[in-house]
Each structure stands twice: as C-alpha cells, then as structure tokens.
Amino acid sequence: MHPRAELIGTNVAEHAFVRQMMEKKQGYLEYEWKNPDEKNLRAKALYMAHFEPWGWIIAVSAYRSEFIRLVNIQDFRQSILSLKFGQSGYAFVFDREGRAIIHPVLQDVNIFQTPELPDQYLKDMMQRKKGRSVYYWKNPGETRARKKLVMFNYIPEYQWIVASSSYLDELYQPLKTIRNVFIGISLLFFSIMLAVTFGISRTITTPLRQLMTRFSAATAGDYSARMESRSGDEVGQLARYFNRFMDQLEATQQALERDITRSKILEKQVMQAGERERMNIGQALHDDLCPHLIGIAGLTAVIRKDLKSRQDPAADLAGKMGELMEDAVEKTRQLARGLCPVHLVSHGFQSALEEIADQFAYYSGIRFECRMDEGVDILEESCAIHLYHIAREAVNNAVKHAKCDRINIDLSRDAADGQIHLKVTDNGTGIDPEPSGRGIGLQIMAYRAKIIDAQFNIDTGPKGTQIHVSMLPVQK
C-alpha cells in the first residue's frame, strides 16, 4: 500500500532508507527524501512496526519541518501565563518572525511590525539565543517604562524564544526595605564607636575571607569561582583582578582540554592508519606474493622433473631451489599473518585466537584451553586486530614470565548487557601490574584497549593472573 498508485506492486529496495527499514523492521528512522516534483531533499522521519506473520512493515512518515504543526499552543498557554515572578513579572514566547506566541498583553502581536513597540531587545535575544538581558520596557496601558530583567533560551526545533521576566524594582524591593531598616539602626547606634569600628572592620575582612575562599575553591579545581566587585576601593579592585585571572585560567583550561581531546583523536587516527597499512601489506603478501612464489615453485618442480628425465646433474639444484621456494612461501604466509592476523584467517577472529595457542604450543609443560561463544565473531576489523594483539601479548607474558602450566583464552558475550569479554588467564605466580623495569607490554595492552574504547583490567596474585578486556560489540 502507498499513496502513490504507481508505486504499488513495484520493488523500491533501491532506496537506502527502504533497506534500513527491511533490516531494522521496528522503531524510529530518519532520512532525506525528495519527491519527483521537488528540487531539494528534506528531512523526513518515520515510525514502523513489523507484522511478522505476513512479513509486512507498516510505517507512517512525516517531514520534520511540519512537526511544529502538531503542537497545540492552547494546551499549555495558560500554564505558562500562570507563572509569576515578583508582582507583575511573567513568562512569554516569541517565534522567529517576532510574533508573540504566548504573552499576557501582546498575544499574537508582531513586535517587528508594530512601530510603537521597541524591537531591538527581541532582536538581541534572537541573535544571542540564550542568556539574560536588562532593558527598559513599557507594556501597553502602563504610564512609564521600567527596568526589566529577562532570562531567555532558544528552542531550535520550533525556532521559539522562551523567556521569563521580572521588573528590577520589584526584585529589589526587599533589599530596599532591609536597607531602610539598616539605616535606622545605624542612626540609632551611631554614637557607639565600638559598633562603628566593628562594622568597618567587617567591610574589610569579609571580602578578604571570601577571596580566600574563592582561592581555595580554584585550588580544588573549581575555575568558575568569582568575586562580586561592587566597590571601587582596593578590595573591589583586588576582586576584579581576581576575576580577570580566573577568566584567563578557565579559558586556558578549556583550551587545554580541547587540545588534549584533539590529540587523542589524532593519536587514534594515526594508530588506525598504521593498522590499516599493516593489513594492506599483509593482504598483498598473502594474495599477491604467495601465489607468485607458489607458481615459481611449481615451475621449478617441472624443470627438476625434466632435468631428471634427461639425467642432467642440474636436477638436484632445481630440487634445492624448489625446497627454498617452499620455505619462502611458508615464511611469506607467516609474515602476512603477523601483519594481518585476523583478516587473513578464513574463520575470523575466533580462529585467530586459537592460532595464538598453536603458535605457543611448542613450550613444553603448558596446556592451552580456548573457549569461544558462537556468534561473538562480529567485530569490526580494526577492533579485532587490537584485541588479537592484546591476547597475544598476554599469552606471551604468561608463557615467558608467569611460570604457569595452564593458560585459558576465553571469548564470550554477556547476555545481560551485550558486552564482549576477552579473558586470558594463567595459574602462574602473578605479575606486577606496575613494573619498575623497562617493559612496556602491559602499557601497550592498556593503550590498545583505550584506542577501541574498551575496559582493560588486570587481576593478579600468587595463584595466577587474568587479563580482562570488555567492550560493546562494533558491527562490521
């Protein structure tokens, strides 16, 4: 079924989003779409359900730009207008055209098209999107403009400015009352010099204490600590100097974090590029050079047979050349597997882990066990490469340093959270997770785990050591 009759009965699998629907079958999906009579792609969304008995996918779709039409402002208009700040403060909503979507006085009025209303404040809000502003405002019906504080934010999906406002004279009224009471008490006790001296000392010591408190907070890592600078004396100047210092320190700290983040990203990209180059070289050795060497070995065998039939003494030399060529083929294969250990194994990552045990099987007195869950081998190739090197380094350390007689390689998936777990366990004497020597094997394993966003843990003791790597599966 489809609104366009010409599509009914046709195969539309050529579209990428249709293939995604066939793969996903259930849930929400976003994509770009352009009808035949349109010029540009538009963002579109759909929700689909899978009717399994018939193998049908039933979907409903809409353009994202039309979502705003689904919003009924009347459903929440009264709840927003009921918000009060002070005596006459209120909340309001404007759209990008300057029209009052929700306003107690200017409902449906376009400020940009009303000359008697100032519009520079709304333009400033739309430009800044988020923040606060102080300006003078006079609503229709009022006799004078009053200073107003507005906190505003921007909703990009609807392109609305949502704000709450209150007049400063209402906010400061309690402070004025306190100020009048304080003046009265000060006049009453003006004759008492001790109280005056104490008050003066507090005006000096309190900001200094606050400054010390802010310094302590900054020392603890809170770079947002600031001083209120309300005076022009030395204490106020010191507070301003402190604020400027903290601004520079915070900016430097943020820049340093950004540099570190960029460095980590570049470091990861360099590592991945190196692994890709290794895999390309290994693939070329396996798929290109090996067949050439095998072909040369075959020709050498034919030449040897021909020389031998003619009883030519060079037949033995040709035989020796064949043996050397077979050795070259085997060495090339081993080199290819070392450069690309997972990609070149016909049965994937699990077989590569089993091959690790085979490579170290020549160590006498050590028994290897490999346990692999079926269906785990769905790793993205670069992740599989790093996990392979971690497992190989762990087995190498256990064989050479752990003095063990059993090594287990375990690959499993946790049914609860879907994480993949790789464990290499031995029953040796344990290792120092932070060695003081020059070995960097553990550091390299931890670094490789970090590259693929995996957790790396070492559990070691006198009864053995376990290297444990866990990560969410990465699809190919």
Side-chain angles (χ1 to χ4, degrees):
M1 296 182 62
H2 195 277
R4 294 173 55 192
E6 65 271 17
L7 293 180
I8 297 178
T10 63
N11 190 326
V12 292
E14 63 183 77
H15 300 292
F17 80 93
V18 175
R19 294 193 294 272
Q20 289 180 294
M21 292 173 63
M22 295 168 63
E23 180 180 355
K24 193 174 181 181
K25 291 186 174 60
Q26 185 81 23
Y28 180 77
L29 182 65
E30 295 183 0
Y31 59 97
E32 300 285 333
W33 180 253
K34 181 177 75 66
N35 287 321
D37 56 345
E38 295 177 339
K39 294 183 179 180
N40 300 318
L41 293 169
R42 289 193 291 165
K44 199 170 186 181
L46 63 80
Y47 188 84
M48 56 186 170
H50 182 216
F51 188 64
E52 187 173 355
W54 295 353
W56 284 9
I57 298 177
I58 305 171
V60 58
S61 66
Y63 289 101
R64 295 192 62 188
S65 59
E66 300 173 355
F67 282 5
I68 190 172
R69 302 178 185 175
L70 305 177
V71 178
N72 187 358
I73 299 175
Q74 299 303 323
D75 291 341
F76 54 87
R77 182 174 183 274
Q78 290 302 323
S79 63
I80 293 180
L81 292 179
S82 64
L83 299 174
K84 297 297 181 183
F85 307 95
Q87 297 178 358
S88 58
Y90 54 86
F92 59 88
V93 180
F94 278 87
D95 64 12
R96 65 177 181 177
E97 305 296 334
R99 184 173 64 90
I101 303 297
I102 300 176
H103 197 283
V105 179
L106 304 176
Q107 181 67 34
D108 295 326
V109 174
N110 192 316
I111 290 185
F112 294 156
Q113 299 176 1
T114 308
E116 60 271 17
L117 294 176
D119 59 2
Q120 65 271 25
Y121 314 117
L122 183 58
K123 290 180 179 178
D124 178 66
M125 293 181 194
M126 290 184 174
Q127 182 178 4
R128 294 163 54 195
K129 305 295 187 185
K130 180 179 180 181
R132 65 178 181 177
S133 181
V134 178
Y135 56 88
Y136 285 92
W137 180 260
K138 183 175 77 67
N139 284 318
E142 295 182 348
T143 58
R144 63 183 181 87
R146 291 186 292 167
K147 205 172 186 180
K148 194 174 189 181
L149 171 66
V150 175
M151 308 293 292
F152 58 93
N153 205 339
Y154 180 69
I155 303 179
E157 288 79 4
Y158 305 126
Q159 297 181 343
W160 287 353
I161 292 291
V162 180
S164 58
S165 64
S166 183
Y167 291 99
L168 290 181
D169 55 356
E170 297 176 2
L171 292 176
Y172 291 153
Q173 186 60 40
L175 296 179
K176 293 179 180 179
T177 303
I178 295 174
R179 180 194 62 187
N180 295 335
V181 173
F182 181 78
I183 292 175
I185 295 175
S186 299
L187 292 175
L188 181 63
F189 295 98
F190 183 77
S191 59
I192 305 175
M193 294 300 299
L194 181 61
V196 174
T197 304
F198 180 73
I200 295 174
S201 65
R202 287 192 61 183
T203 60
I204 298 175
T205 58
T206 299
L208 293 178
R209 292 194 190 98
Q210 292 177 351
L211 182 60
M212 296 303 297
T213 302
R214 301 297 192 280
F215 267 118
S216 298
T219 303
D222 182 11
Y223 300 116
S224 63
R226 298 293 187 274
M227 286 288 295
E228 293 184 4
S229 177
R230 297 182 179 180
S231 62
D233 57 7
E234 290 78 5
V235 176
Q237 190 174 17
L238 181 62
R240 288 192 291 273
Y241 287 156
F242 172 79
N243 290 341
R244 285 200 293 269
F245 169 76
M246 291 303 300
D247 289 340
Q248 296 176 359
L249 186 61
E250 187 175 21
T252 302
Q253 187 261 346
Q254 292 174 353
L256 183 60
E257 289 181 349
R258 290 193 296 269
D259 291 340
I260 292 175
T261 301
R262 285 195 295 267
S263 297
K264 289 181 178 179
I265 294 174
L266 291 174
E267 190 178 41
K268 184 175 181 179
Q269 292 175 347
V270 169
M271 175 66 75
Q272 291 175 346
E275 292 295 343
R276 286 195 299 269
E277 189 63 26
R278 285 163 55 101
M279 288 190 291
N280 291 336
I281 296 174
Q283 186 74 38
L285 290 174
H286 185 272
D287 294 343
D288 191 14
L289 183 57
C290 273
H292 276 285
L293 295 177
I294 293 173
I296 295 172
L299 291 176
T300 304
V302 172
I303 293 173
R304 177 179 178 275
K305 185 177 181 180
D306 182 67
L307 293 174
K308 189 174 181 180
S309 64
R310 291 185 290 174
Q311 296 182 352
D312 193 323
D316 294 336
L317 182 60
K320 184 62 176 179
M321 290 174 61
E323 294 175 0
L324 293 175
M325 196 59 61
E326 290 177 358
D327 291 341
V329 170
E330 183 60 28
K331 290 179 180 180
T332 303
R333 285 175 176 169
Q334 293 178 359
L335 181 59
R337 291 187 178 183
L339 292 172
C340 185
V342 177
H343 182 75
L344 299 180
V345 176
S346 59
H347 298 290
F349 182 66
Q350 295 183 357
S351 296
L353 292 181
E354 293 173 352
E355 187 178 275
I356 294 176
D358 295 337
Q359 292 174 358
F360 289 89
Y362 62 88
Y363 281 86
S364 61
I366 299 180
R367 181 166 54 91
F368 287 88
E369 293 183 5
C370 294
R371 293 190 296 269
M372 312 289 176
D373 285 354
E374 295 183 1
V376 176
D377 195 12
I378 56 172
L379 299 172
E380 192 270 333
E381 193 160 314
S382 63
C383 293
I385 291 291
H386 287 292
L387 285 178
Y388 171 85
H389 285 299
I390 292 173
R392 195 177 191 284
E393 182 65 22
V395 172
N396 181 64
N397 287 342
V399 168
K400 293 184 177 180
H401 307 295
K403 300 178 181 179
C404 60
D405 59 8
R406 188 180 73 253
I407 298 177
N408 296 331
I409 302 176
D410 186 6
L411 180 67
S412 62
R413 183 197 296 273
D414 192 334
D417 57 8
Q419 283 200 340
I420 292 175
H421 298 269
L422 173 64
K423 301 177 183 178
V424 179
T425 309
D426 64 72
N427 62 346
T429 58
I431 61 174
D432 184 0
E434 297 180 0
S436 57
R438 298 176 60 185
I440 59 171
L442 295 177
Q443 299 177 33
I444 293 177
M445 285 191 286
Y447 179 75
R448 286 186 179 275
K450 182 179 178 182
I451 288 294
I452 59 176
D453 298 325
Q455 298 292 327
F456 179 80
N457 295 295
I458 300 176
D459 185 11
T460 184
K463 294 184 179 181
T465 300
Q466 182 182 86
I467 303 296
H468 182 193
V469 181
S470 60
M471 63 176 292
L472 288 173
V474 179
Q475 297 296 332
K476 291 183 179 179

